[in-house]
Structures are given as C-alpha cells and as structure tokens.
Amino acid sequence: LGAMVTPDKPHARLGGNSPPSLPGGAPTKQKTRAHRVSHRRAHPAHRRREGRKATMAIADQGSVLPTHADREGFSLSPTVHGTMEPPTPPRAQYHAGGEASTSTSADYSTVAVSFEEPFSAILHDVSSGVSGGMESATGDPYVRMSASKVPNQKAVANVGSLPLGAMVTPFAAAASGAAPVVLRRDPARCARCLAFISGFCEVDTRGGRWLCCFCGFDNADTRLAPEPSGELRAHPELVLSSVDYLIETSVGATSYLGGGGGESEDGKGEPTPVVFLVDECLDADEVVALKHSMLEIVRGLPATTRVGIATYAASVAVYDLSAAAGVASAEVVPGTRSPMPSDLHSLLYGAGTFLAPLSSCLAAVEAVIGALRPAVSAAGPVHGRPRCLGPALETAAALLKRGGGVPSTLDPSGGEEAKGGRVLVCIGGPATRGPGGITVEEESELYDFEEQAAKTYIDELSTTVAALAVSVDILAGGRAAVGATRLAPLVAATGGIVLLLEDFGASFVSNALVAARRCAGRSAVLSVRASPGVACARVIGAAEAMTTDAAAALTAPSLLMLAGDRELNISSEDTADVFRLKSTDPSQGVAVFFEYTEDLPANFVYVQFVLWTSSGPGAARVARCMTRRLPTTGSQRAYLRAVHAPTAALLAAKKVALDAQSSAVGPAEAVQRIEARIADVAEVFSPPLDGAEPTLLHDFPEELAGFAEAMYHLLRGPMLGRLLGHEDERAVARAHFLTAGADTAACMLVPQLYVWRGLDSFEQVPPADLALQATDALLLDHGTAMFAWIGRDVAADNTTAAAARASLVTFGETLARGRFPVPQVKVFNQGSSAARYMVSRLVPLHRDALHEQDARYPPVQLLAPDARKALTESFLPTEEPSFVLWMRELGLAAPTLDASVKLFMESGDTGAS
C-alpha cells in the first residue's frame, strides 16, 4: 500500500501534449514497459500470497465471523524512482470541450462518458453529495465507515475500545430512490488479486492498462481504450463509487448463489412459498383476533403466492387445499417424535394438495382459518398446554422441500436441489411436547436436563432447515413467554426473525405481510477486501463464513478472463474474505471490523465490498461493487476529528450486544464491558499531561462525546437496561439490533426525538426529558418502536389534539417506511400510564445543573425562569443517572460542548421538515 509511480506510462492529456507532473512537481520520465513490469513483479508487494489462513468462528447469536488473514509476504513500501508522493487521482481520457455524463440508464452500451476537467475535480464534485460519492461517508446508502481518516499506526488503529470498521447495508435503496447504475458486461478485475477496477486505480486509456489500487499489479484491458471518436465509453465505474455489473454466467451451475424468489419492489418475480403454522392452544379472544388477522394476511398476498397451512397442538395437522369450499380436511402427523418417512408419505406423495397458489385455493384457506377453535377449558394454563412445535417445523420444511419454491441452494447430501420457502409460525406459548419441548416446570430438577436437550435439538434442526433454504419467522402474540432464547438459533441460522407482539392485531398483520413477502434462503454473497496491512477481523450480522472452494465458485470471474490470465502465465488468487448473507432484507446489514497487521506508511487505505446475487441456476449474476478510499494520518487528534461517532458507536454496540447474547459473557458482564470501554477510550486518547496536577475527574475526548452518549443509551436501553421486563424481550431486541442496517440500528441505539411544530412540520431535538413540555407534541423513534406523546395543553383542545395525533402517526409511518420489523406508533397523552414508555427512554436531564442542561438541551434556554423551574420539578424523583452523572461515576468529566448533540442529529436523513 503506497505510492505507485509509473514513469513510463502513457498519460491522458488535458488540452495539450505535456505529460502531467507528480504532486511534488517532479516530472515523469520514460522507461521501457519491460523494465516496469519486471520491477513490479520482483517486488514483494506483488508476489502471490502463500500460506493464506483464515479462521472462522461462528457464534450462536449474531453470527460473529472473525477472519484473520495472514498478510505476510506483502510489503507496504514499494520502491519508486524519484520522490515518494501520494498517488495522483486516477484519470480517464480527457477531451477539450467535452462534458461529464453519468447516465443512470440500465444499459451503458450506447452511453458516452467523456470528461473536460481533471478527475480530481470530478471526484470532489461527486464526493460532496450525499450519495454516490467516491469518498462519501455519512450519506452513503451502502457503506458507512467509522472514520473519514484512519491512523497509520497499528497501535492506534487496533484500540479495541474504539472500533475501526464499516456498517454495510448492501441492499439499501439509494438515497435518491433511483436504482444503481447497471453495466451489462463483465467487470475489469485484477489478474492477480481479483479486485474490481475503480476510480481509485491508475488508468491508461491510450494503452488500455490499469494499476490495481490493492496490489499494484499492471493489468491489461482493451475495453479501457477510447473509441475512434476519442471518447471513453461505458465506464462510469471510474467515476462512481458503487456500480452494479450484470455478468453472464460462465462458471457453471455450481456458482448459483441461491435465493428463493420473493416479490420484488415493483411486484415482479415469483413470490416465496409460505407455510403458516398456527398454534391451536390459544384462548378464545386470541383465536378471534388471529382468525380476523389471518384472513387479512392471505387476502393481502399476491394471488400467485403458493401457501400451505398447518396447525399444531398435541399433533400436527396439515390441511388439504384441494377440498371443496367450506370443508377443512387434514393429514395428521404425530407430535411426540420427529416425523418418520411413513408419517409423511401420504402428505408428500398422496393425492391431496397441501401447497397451492392462492388464486386456486383461497376459498379452502379461508375455510381452514374459519375452522380454528380455541383450546378447551380443561387444557390448563397457557404455558403448559401441549405444543409440538419441533415436529410441526420438520413437517413444514419437508412440505416445502417436496413442493416448494424456486431452486435456491444445493442439497448438502448431494441429492436433488432443495426447494426454498418460508415458514411463518403464529405462536402463543412455549413448546411443551415432542422434541424441542420442555414438559416440566422451571422449578423441577429435570428442567435443566430437558432445556439442554431442547437446545441441542433446535441447533440440529437449524442446520437441517437452513440447508433446505427454508427461512423461519416466529410471530408471538399470546400472553405467555414462548422461549425466544431457545428459538433464536433457529431463526438466526435461517435468516428469519422472532417478534414478540402484544396481540394478534394490527401489528401482527403488518409484520406478517412483510415477512411473507421476503425472499427466503441464503441468497447473496458478500466479499470484503482491504489494502495490504489491513485485515477483516470480524463480521457481525445475518451472515456466515464460507469455505475457500465455495467462495471461489460463487465469486469467480468469467472463464474468458481466466483464459486470458493463463495466457499471461499469471496465477490469480482472490484475496477477499467471503460471507454468505442469510437475508436480502433492505433494512438489514452487517458490521465489518478491520484491524492492522502492521503500521501503514502509505497515504491511503482502500476497502472494497462486492455483493453477489443471482436469480437462479444458469442465470446471470449481479455484482454490486462498492469501493472506498480513506486517507491515513499520523496525528491522533486528526484521527479523532475524523471519527464518525454514530458509526463507531454502532460497531461497538453490536459487539456488546453479541457478548450479551453469548453464554460465555452474558448481559451483566456486557454492562461492565461498556464502562471499561469508555474508561479505556479516555485513557488512550486523552491521557493526562506529564507533570499535570491530578484531578478528581479524568477528561474525555470532546471529539468522541457522541460515542460516549451512545454507550450510555445502550446501557439503559431495551437491550441491556430495565425498559423491557422479560429476558426474552431483551434477547429479541438484541437479535434485531445485531442484524439491523445502519439507519435502523442507529435509531435502536440512540432514540430520535421530534417536536411537532404544526401542520406537517417537525423539529429534531436531543432525546432528553426536558422536552416533555405541556405545550408540545412529541414523537420518539426507537427503531423497532415508536411513541407519540401529546402534552396536556395540546390535548385540552380537541381540534389541535386531533391534528397533532394525525401528524404524529403520519410522520412516524414515514420514518418507519422500509423497516422490518414494522414499528407501530403508540399514541398517549401526558400523565397517562402509557406515557412511561417515552419518559423511561429519555435522558433524565432534569437532575443536572443549569449549565449542563443548557449544553445538553439548548431549547430549554428559551423558557422563562419560573417555567423552567416548574418543568424540572414536575418529574418524579428517580435514581436513574443522567449522562453527566454516569460519566462522573466512572471518574470522567463529560464534555460540556453540544458537539455530541449535533453528531447524532446529523447522523442520518430523518425526513423532518
């Protein structure tokens, strides 16, 4: 990683024939190409990586995937002739009188791209926007780096308390709402490391050559040569940081990435088959609500969706959808053990139809739903009623395998291709019968034994169901705990989700409709590449590590390119770490952590993420290439100023949430690690000066105030705090956070508070309790939950209260668009019992001194002294510490500036006017 000076490379000209100079002013010199190539190949930085090792450890929760690539054999200081300088910005062919064109047409075969100004100017113009820029950080819809500059020292970069990495949301919609540029051709890839070409590579348009910005190899590509007209055509990848390639398949059927259909955004594509598993042990009022909601769900799905419906209690009943309207008939499978082939023979090979398009079976489905009945009065308490969930899931997976959806992944047994699909479980209590169930009370001496047996069974079932590309979503709307922690490995392995809902009402309907439309199966692959000296240390999210052979089959270049490499006697080796994504949900993402293997003397670090998808075996592949460049700095203070606190906090919070999910650490230890993390950041980045007088409170870096506040919210929020009463609820909240994309996760970590200013106008303010003023109406966005609070004075006027309520709900639905789970807006008035949902999530700023209140919540300064005193005295006494008091308890002085407030209020596009 460093300066790549090409003394003899033909250069693009700008309105003249004089070659460009190096940034330091040294003119370029001419050398023979033979000397240049032999010099580069002899350098250690261009040798083939040998003995590359990777260790993959997959945790039960969150799919932590640490990968440590051995970068030995790579030199970071290439020898150059002349003065060592930063590389000049990559250049395309320039033409006087031309015009930069970046059309968003899906086919660039007829689009000319020419540039009048130097590439550096174009780079500056593009990166100044909120999306699509070459080095955009905070506004990038796909990749958000934790810092806009990175340290060049290993000791600083590898400080574990302040993570260095990126939040990658590969399926996120572009900020402008337009689809990314699609190039209908193979990408230009490095013949040595297989990196994709980007605007950061040195490009020789006259000779059709380019230098890889990752390994420095000199590549040949005649497509880079300009047309006879002098224009460079069809190469927007030299300007845009994110582009899509439509690659014709040429690596065989084994390169199929998976993906089980699923309805596309525009309604096209084959919908994912869905099997509904319904709990038959519900109370009468729950059954009434469930029947009404189920009818709304099936009527809201596309008519081409193939559905099946089964119920489970003491046994499993799979309903025949070919029966006449008004009649519900079913095949019954035992619930005391895993189903045998003989149990499923008539179901899979009989004359009945158990999975059919809604267009042909809607009447039968409605008849089945209408026939649902509540549990008998003698069934006993809700948590003890017989539920054979394990056998029911096995039966549903077998049904989808036999008659399910489009092919999605190869059967690991080597047999026929499995069929993808989705199982949507409507559950009201824990599994108590058959494998995976616990039949005894928690106080029993046999409880630990049965719980361990249930966990072992769920782990085995997770592997089997995931291999069939079947996703499992569990929606709980009953009154009893469902054992979410035991079911978490199943949904994590299959790319599903667990939702704990209050009932089977409107929230159940909205979430079930979204869940049923999601793609099923392991349907995408993400490769992560970084400059030499920078390793991908960990990936957290709905992803799993891939073997080297499997990764090579899915991400290999076309056979034509490989043939060209063999002609040049070049041995290609993909140096990227590759992971299979379990979900293609636009609101989900992964957290990527980097670490240094040595100090970096270079001026830039490059990272590249490539998302691979495909629609079926033999079909074309789509590769979304996202390349970013980060300057390096030797100044610790410059690095701190470049840290993007919201993204760095997300990375740290995901690691903490993962620790809390693991049995080795647990929630209590995770809380202690948060406090140790904050103390370590202060010690490393704000050490006391030599000879300075000791103080009671240690200073905390002002640049990282937003990072500290995020850790404070994590500590007292729903994932670790006391906002949620049951550990199942906290575990589900952590599971949602671990798989959430950047925008949703940011709201889950630090709640966003908005004040209604009349009509459709909202103003964002810091999430502090001083905002709870009787004259205002507020909306709190906490990611998977939203709360609308109407002040006493606003509620006194019916007309104003109705307008406020409508505006709050509409604005909340706008913010929640595209999220899954789908948050519901709960509306309540000041002083009501439900108001505690919002009060408990806000920082208790009323306990701080006046000057600290002014810094943390500036709008409070507008209040008259009497009104301000009355506001602070209106809150109930509490021992909950504010952020300032919490920092003091850690022996740290909280920054008094309002920089942290600005950081989190500017962390994303909220849509507020």
Side-chain angles (χ1 to χ4, degrees):
L1 180 64
M4 291 303 305
V5 181
T6 322
D8 61 330
K9 181 175 73 71
H11 290 275
R13 316 291 173 110
L14 177 61
N17 297 322
S18 58
S21 300
L22 293 174
T28 58
K29 300 181 180 180
Q30 299 294 323
K31 286 182 179 286
T32 64
R33 180 181 181 277
H35 173 80
R36 182 179 78 240
V37 174
S38 62
H39 168 72
R40 291 199 181 99
R41 291 183 179 175
H43 195 275
H46 310 299
R47 297 173 185 163
R48 179 180 180 182
R49 300 186 182 187
E50 297 181 358
R52 183 172 179 264
K53 302 175 182 178
T55 57
M56 307 290 184
I58 304 179
D60 291 339
Q61 300 292 336
S63 298
V64 166
L65 309 171
T67 62
H68 302 275
D70 184 3
R71 308 285 175 168
E72 187 174 347
F74 267 78
S75 171
L76 299 177
S77 305
T79 304
V80 297
H81 298 277
T83 307
M84 173 75 81
E85 295 289 349
T88 58
R91 296 171 178 263
Q93 183 72 28
Y94 309 132
H95 305 276
E99 183 178 5
S101 172
T102 55
S103 170
T104 57
S105 170
D107 190 347
Y108 266 71
S109 60
T110 60
V111 177
V113 180
S114 58
F115 304 113
E116 178 182 12
E117 52 189 339
F119 194 88
S120 57
I122 299 174
L123 184 65
H124 174 76
D125 292 341
V126 176
S127 62
S128 62
V130 296
S131 66
M134 296 295 290
E135 297 177 271
S136 177
T138 60
D140 194 323
Y142 307 121
V143 180
R144 296 187 184 178
M145 305 299 300
S146 62
S148 57
K149 289 183 180 180
V150 294
N152 57 15
Q153 301 176 21
K154 175 182 175 181
V156 178
N158 291 354
V159 173
S161 54
L162 184 63
L164 176 64
M167 281 296 303
V168 184
T169 315
F171 292 99
S176 61
V181 170
V182 179
L183 307 179
R184 298 180 181 273
R185 56 173 171 77
D186 286 1
R189 300 184 66 177
C190 178
R192 185 178 298 279
C193 70
L194 298 183
F196 283 53
I197 193 173
S198 70
F200 304 117
C201 299
E202 298 248 4
V203 178
D204 172 16
T205 59
R206 290 181 178 272
R209 310 199 66 82
W210 60 280
L211 297 179
C212 177
C213 61
F214 289 93
C215 70
F217 188 77
D218 187 353
N219 295 275
D221 194 329
T222 57
R223 294 175 298 179
L224 294 176
E227 297 290 328
S229 60
E231 294 181 339
L232 184 66
R233 306 170 66 89
H235 285 284
E237 68 269 34
L238 299 181
V239 178
L240 303 177
S241 61
S242 301
V243 294
D244 286 1
Y245 294 93
L246 184 62
I247 307 173
E248 297 298 331
T249 182
S250 57
V251 292
T254 58
S255 67
Y256 180 41
L257 302 176
E263 188 180 16
S264 60
E265 292 296 329
D266 56 0
K268 300 178 180 179
E270 182 179 352
T272 300
V274 181
V275 173
F276 293 94
L277 279 184
V278 182
D279 186 352
E280 278 193 299
C281 298
L282 304 177
D283 290 333
D285 60 331
E286 294 175 333
V287 171
V288 171
L290 179 61
K291 290 167 66 174
H292 182 272
S293 298
M294 286 288 294
L295 289 174
E296 187 175 349
I297 292 168
V298 296
R299 292 168 182 170
L301 294 175
T304 56
T305 304
R306 287 191 287 172
V307 301
I309 186 166
T311 60
Y312 68 97
S315 58
V316 185
V318 185
Y319 286 86
D320 186 355
L321 303 181
S322 63
V327 179
S329 62
E331 292 284 345
V332 179
V333 178
T336 57
R337 53 175 170 78
S338 294
M340 304 294 290
S342 58
D343 300 327
L344 301 175
H345 186 271
S346 59
L347 175 66
L348 302 180
Y349 305 102
T353 301
F354 301 94
L355 196 67
L358 274 173
S359 57
S360 62
C361 69
L362 181 58
V365 171
E366 291 177 345
V368 172
I369 295 174
L372 295 176
R373 295 292 182 266
V376 297
S377 58
V382 175
H383 67 276
R385 297 171 185 172
R387 295 182 179 88
C388 58
L389 179 59
L393 288 169
E394 293 188 55
T395 303
L399 180 62
L400 287 170
K401 178 182 179 181
R402 175 62 181 172
V406 298
S408 57
T409 188
L410 295 179
D411 190 329
S413 64
E416 64 177 0
E417 288 188 84
K419 307 290 185 177
R422 181 169 296 278
V423 179
L424 203 154
V425 184
C426 310
I427 189 172
T432 57
R433 187 178 178 88
I438 299 179
T439 61
V440 299
E441 297 289 342
E442 191 171 354
E443 296 78 14
S444 172
E445 61 182 9
L446 297 177
Y447 180 83
D448 290 341
F449 171 78
E450 291 198 5
E451 183 182 40
Q452 183 58 46
K455 290 181 178 179
T456 302
Y457 169 78
I458 291 296
D459 290 341
E460 295 174 353
L461 180 63
S462 303
T463 304
T464 303
V465 174
L468 299 175
V470 173
S471 297
V472 179
D473 292 323
I474 299 176
L475 280 66
R479 301 182 178 92
V482 299
T485 54
R486 293 192 297 272
L487 298 174
L490 173 63
V491 296
T494 61
I497 196 169
V498 176
L499 294 180
L500 303 183
L501 307 172
E502 292 184 355
D503 51 36
F504 292 105
S507 180
F508 173 81
V509 173
S510 58
N511 280 284
L513 280 172
V514 175
R517 289 189 172 99
R518 300 169 71 207
C519 291
R522 299 168 293 175
S523 49
V525 168
L526 180 70
S527 65
V528 181
R529 188 188 314 275
S531 296
V534 181
C536 176
R538 182 185 296 271
V539 169
I540 297 178
E544 62 182 352
M546 298 186 65
T547 63
T548 303
D549 293 340
L554 297 177
T555 64
S558 65
L559 296 178
L560 178 61
M561 176 180 173
L562 293 176
D565 293 345
R566 286 192 291 266
E567 291 176 3
L568 297 175
N569 196 25
I570 299 172
S571 178
S572 301
E573 180 183 1
D574 197 342
T575 58
D577 297 300
V578 184
F579 309 92
R580 187 188 295 275
L581 301 182
K582 303 175 184 178
S583 173
T584 59
D585 196 312
S587 65
Q588 293 191 356
V590 296
V592 181
F593 295 77
F594 294 111
E595 68 179 12
Y596 286 11
T597 59
E598 54 189 323
D599 292 343
L600 305 181
N603 294 307
F604 294 100
V605 165
Y606 301 92
V607 293
Q608 188 174 87
F609 308 93
V610 181
L611 172 70
W612 298 83
T613 58
S614 177
S615 58
R621 297 178 294 169
V622 176
R624 173 169 294 171
C625 178
M626 301 158 282
T627 310
R628 305 296 182 265
R629 180 177 72 174
L630 301 172
T632 61
T633 178
S635 169
Q636 189 179 93
R637 186 59 58 185
Y639 171 53
L640 291 182
R641 287 194 296 267
V643 170
H644 186 235
T647 303
L650 284 180
L651 296 175
K654 290 202 175 231
K655 179 63 174 67
V656 171
L658 186 73
D659 290 340
Q661 292 288 77
S662 67
S663 57
V665 179
E669 177 66 21
V671 169
Q672 298 179 9
R673 293 189 177 188
I674 294 176
E675 298 175 345
R677 180 184 295 272
I678 295 300
D680 186 64
V681 168
E683 181 179 355
V684 172
F685 294 102
S686 185
L689 299 176
D690 295 337
E693 293 292 333
T695 58
L696 294 177
L697 298 177
H698 187 75
D699 290 335
F700 191 85
E702 294 181 355
E703 297 86 351
L704 301 180
F707 179 85
E709 285 194 39
M711 295 299 100
Y712 166 78
H713 283 283
L714 173 63
L715 188 68
R716 64 190 299 270
M719 290 181 280
L720 295 174
R722 292 170 289 183
L723 293 180
L724 301 178
H726 198 277
E727 178 57 29
D728 271 8
E729 296 177 286
R730 290 187 284 271
V732 168
R734 291 192 292 266
H736 292 169
F737 180 74
L738 288 171
T739 60
D743 292 333
T744 304
C747 294
M748 294 182 67
L749 180 60
V750 180
Q752 309 293 304
L753 185 62
Y754 304 90
V755 181
W756 180 57
R757 296 307 186 192
L759 298 178
D760 296 328
S761 178
F762 286 83
E763 177 187 356
Q764 189 173 1
V765 296
D769 60 359
L770 294 181
L772 298 173
Q773 302 178 28
T775 57
D776 289 328
L778 309 173
L779 178 73
L780 186 71
D781 181 3
H782 212 168
T784 56
M786 288 191 176
F787 308 96
W789 182 92
I790 300 178
R792 189 175 292 108
D793 295 350
V794 178
D797 187 311
N798 292 335
T799 303
T800 306
R805 179 184 296 266
S807 296
L808 291 169
V809 172
T810 302
F811 184 58
E813 292 173 349
T814 302
L815 294 176
R817 190 172 298 145
R819 295 185 193 175
F820 184 70
V822 182
Q824 299 294 309
V825 182
K826 298 180 180 179
V827 185
F828 39 76
N829 293 338
Q830 180 182 5
S832 64
S833 174
R836 69 186 188 277
Y837 291 118
M838 178 173 287
V839 176
S840 60
R841 286 169 165 81
L842 301 178
V843 180
L845 209 58
H846 69 278
R847 301 191 61 189
D848 292 341
L850 294 181
H851 71 280
E852 293 168 340
Q853 295 177 0
D854 294 343
R856 299 291 162 187
Y857 190 75
V860 76
Q861 303 176 51
L862 302 177
L863 296 178
D866 293 342
R868 181 169 180 172
K869 181 179 179 181
L871 175 63
T872 55
E873 293 177 351
S874 66
F875 298 100
L876 295 175
T878 176
E879 296 181 357
E880 187 77 16
S882 66
F883 170 68
V884 174
L885 295 178
W886 176 69
M887 292 288 284
R888 288 175 184 167
E889 292 175 357
L890 299 179
L892 301 173
T896 57
L897 301 179
D898 62 350
S900 59
V901 173
K902 296 178 181 178
L903 274 172
F904 278 96
M905 290 179 64
E906 297 173 357
S907 61
D909 182 10
T910 63
S913 58

